[in-house]
Amino acid sequence: MSALPFLPVLLWSDVLVWLMAIAALLLGIASTRQPQLAAAWRRVGRSRPGMASATLVLVFVVVGLLDSLHYRPLLPAAPDAPAAPAAYAVETLSLLDSIAEPLRTRNEKTYSAPLATRAFAKETREERAADGSVRQVRDFPRLRYGGAHLGDADGTSDASSASAGPAADDGTQTATARPRLSEADRDIDITRRAGSALAAALALWALLLLAATSLLARREAVPLAEASRRLWRGETVFAWKAVLLTLAAVFIVAAPLLALCADYHVFGTDKVGQDVFYQVLKSVRTALVIGLVTTLTTLPLAIFFGLAAGYFRGWVDDLIQYLYTTLNSIPGVLLIAAAVLMMQVLIDTHPQWFSTAAERADMRLLALCFILGMTSWTGLCRVLRGETLKLRELEFVQAAQSFGVADLRIIARHILPNVMHIVVIALVMDFSSLVLAEAVLSYVGIGVDPTMISFGTMINNARLELAREPMVWWSLAAAFTFMFALVLAANLLADAVRDAFDARLAGSS
Amino acid sequence: MLAYILRRLLYAIPILIGVNLITFALFFIVNTPDDMARMQLGVKRVTPEAIAAWKAERGYDKPLFLNAEASGAAVVSDTIFFAQSARMFVGDFGRAEDGRDIAREISSRMGPSLAIALPTFVLGLLVTISLALLLAFFRATALDFWGVVLCVALMSVSGLFYIIGGQFLISKLWKLVPISGYAGGLDAWKFLILPVLIGVVSGIGSSTRWYRTIFLEEIGKDYVRTARAKGLAETVILFRHVLRNALIPILTGVVAVIPLLFMGSLLTESFFGVPGLGSYTIDAINAQDFAVVRAMVFIGSVLYIVGLLLTDLSYALVDPRIRFDR
């Protein structure tokens, strides 16, 4: 019997993220049956900025979901005891880690610039001349992995450079056999690879364009040329043009990155030599978990208390109002700080709860989501209470009451569906602010676990790098660009969703 | 009016007690004082005696809510909850881990916090209202469209990058003002310019967009149509009628924030090394100084409640339709 090549690990955040994804999908399908909600979603689909940003958000979500399937790889069996039971590594990896294996494992010693083949700082190294005399040379050392396929730069055959050679199996060869590396070689190599990747990406994009056009042609029963014309003129019900153009932009950026990232550090490496591109990819999941799981804790509280306060009024209302006024009175950051501080003590004093470091970091992330949720449900709760107060006076609710329908049933059947648009709007509006909040909290030291890669920890580690001479800009630039793209897309999507769902409100009243 | 203020003040008392209960639960029930002692003392020095001494020094060795051993009023008063909470109401916050009196520290750090927060607040309000008015004046034009796009883009940048970028550009590249630090008295201005500027810029995106919506809402109202029908110029309508009416929701919304200005800003102060309350809080968080964090939570809540009271009063002052005798 052979053991599984990996041991699946279910982290709690994985479960919740996948649940959220599936729930969103099911809700989307269910809302197509409700004519009003379906109309609102169609309005979102027609909105060009909305669909462009949705496409970008979807790309981020795919990266995040790939990073949310965790496993522990099988350790190679010890040669002296092949019959021993299979042992799995303590390290928890994700599907993204295994796809991006070279990014994760090929660590340099310290900083290196994007696409560099040599380290960022000079290092003193001994060089043995032919006559046996040793002299010290100060030079930028060759990177272990950045552009390793281009060959060794130094052209010397001393033992130190061979052992520090590109890979272990190459170490036996002498470096003199290889051509000397020049910057021009590197530039040619980069251009060639990026060019062919771009060509492939454009071909793929053309295929997608063809598929979209033919789908459109089939659906609207027009010839292909007419469908293409409608698509490019933006005369389609669904904003195909925006989606395709965004995809083209994503392809143009992503293709060279993907083609080059295996052999170069496309965004450079950070202080401990880790690939920045890998860090950026990992940060996406943390941001998504914070943005999505927090709303998961917010929604039940806000909906339950908001509807109960608005519907039952009287002492229930007083009690719930007291509860949220009290919670609201504590400034958010301070409440979060206090709660996170206490959670840290709790986690540190109970190490027996967690079997791996990943589990502990994950629990801390979830606890942060929970704390953020506990401090942010009050706003939505107040809005829902106000809306319910209005709704309960309307004729259809009063009719139901006079028929003797139970209160819970009235809330579930008549009130909840009529406040759903507020919930949807709040959900998408909160996402971007939560992603931003994570960065700030991690900087302050009350965010995610320091070992967990997130935009906040990236910025925190890199914040002094601009003050260096010469300055190290790539970590911050990469974190900035990706975070900006994610938050901007989320903001634009939120606007589109809000406009679409508010329009429903305006149309019905 | 006076009766109304009194009633609001009385209403604040249960909320403050609630805040106290929540923070107490957070600090003393989620983790026992023993856990805190262990964290504070570090791994090496943890002995039962050291923990007991640590607790006794801070008065954490009493029962949580009810002291069964005491008699009379001491059943309630000789407990951690009463001892820790009741004295906060009279402004006694105890001592920090480094032995300094928290109340004195707070009062000396309020100045620098205000010196940054107040100019940022006033300038920010002026700038964002003017920009929002500009966008509202040119509504439904390309300027308005791109202005809103720019606002959304500005909103999407993390506050950390505003500070890092501002320090880099202005202090490191152009060398106009010192990167960080603080000086008392009149010399403070050159340390204040950069944080205030960054504070204003980082608030532009969301505030301008929000105020623009308020202005547009106001422009859609009937009295504006009437004013137009009477033949008033668009500028007159905007500055005379719309601005005044739209200022009501803007100012009353903003009043709630004024008391919280005392708290300073966590990010700005820690980045610029300003010895204010924000950096005090951050230092306490990093040093896991529970007493300081608890004191700051309490003060923050008091200020928030004052803000709510001011909001209600300001509504009454600017809007004669609101009356108190309900």
Side-chain angles (χ1 to χ4, degrees), chain B residues 78-92:
Chain B
D78 197 22
T79 56
I80 300 182
F81 179 67
F82 190 84
Q84 297 295 320
S85 305
R87 64 176 192 189
M88 282 195 170
F89 285 97
V90 293
D92 177 11

Side-chain angles (χ1 to χ4, degrees), chain A residues 322 325-326 329-330 333-334 337 341-342 344 346 436 439 443-444 446 459 466 469 471 480 484 488 491 495, chain B residues 14-15 18-19 26-27 30-31 153 156 161 168 172 209 263 266-267 270 281 285-286 288 290 297 301 304:
Chain A
Y322 171 71
T325 318
T326 308
S329 313
I330 310 177
V333 190
L334 288 176
L341 209 53
M342 287 302 122
Q344 267 172 18
L346 199 68
L436 290 177
Y443 168 78
V444 177
I446 48 177
I459 299 169
L466 285 186
E469 271 317 324
M471 120 186 128
F480 171 80
F484 180 68
L488 184 65
N491 272 333
D495 279 359
Chain B
I15 292 179
V19 168
L26 262 179
F27 280 89
V30 174
N31 295 287
S156 308
F161 286 115
F168 174 72
K172 190 169 176 244
R209 208 167 78 118
M263 302 288 291
L266 296 182
L267 274 190
S270 81
T281 316
I285 291 170
N286 289 332
Q288 305 202 318
F290 307 106
V297 168
S301 318
Y304 180 84

Side-chain angles (χ1 to χ4, degrees), chain A residues 44-61 238-247 249-250 288 428 431-432 484-498, chain B residues 152 156:
Chain A
V44 178
R46 212 175 298 151
S47 147
R48 267 174 293 158
M51 284 335 281
S53 51
T55 313
L56 198 54
V57 168
L58 209 63
V59 173
F60 279 108
V61 167
F238 183 78
W240 278 111
K241 187 177 153 193
V243 171
L244 286 166
L245 286 181
T246 316
L247 271 182
V250 169
L288 286 178
V428 288
F431 179 83
S432 55
F484 180 68
L486 175 60
V487 176
L488 184 65
N491 272 333
L492 289 175
L493 182 61
D495 279 359
V497 170
R498 194 196 51 197
Chain B
V152 177
S156 308

Side-chain angles (χ1 to χ4, degrees), chain A residues 123-128 133-139:
Chain A
E123 232 173 63
T124 309
R125 149 178 80 79
E126 288 186 349
E127 204 164 79
R128 204 172 301 252
S133 66
V134 176
R135 65 196 171 94
Q136 297 217 322
V137 185
R138 255 188 99 67
D139 194 12

Side-chain angles (χ1 to χ4, degrees), chain A residues 298-310 312 320 381 384 408 411:
Chain A
T298 316
L299 286 188
L301 283 173
I303 293 178
F304 178 80
F305 284 127
L307 294 190
F312 293 112
I320 292 171
C381 180
L384 286 180
L408 279 181
I411 291 179

Side-chain angles (χ1 to χ4, degrees), chain A residues 176-197:
Chain A
T176 35
R178 296 195 197 135
R180 198 178 157 80
L181 171 72
S182 72
E183 291 296 297
D185 285 347
R186 187 198 68 159
D187 294 346
I188 291 170
D189 182 60
I190 289 175
T191 325
R192 213 190 53 220
R193 280 168 184 245
S196 55

Side-chain angles (χ1 to χ4, degrees), chain A residues 330-354:
Chain A
I330 310 177
V333 190
L334 288 176
L335 185 58
I336 294 168
V340 171
L341 209 53
M342 287 302 122
M343 176 205 47
Q344 267 172 18
V345 178
L346 199 68
I347 287 178
D348 286 348
T349 48
H350 297 92
Q352 70 274 14
W353 289 353
F354 315 102

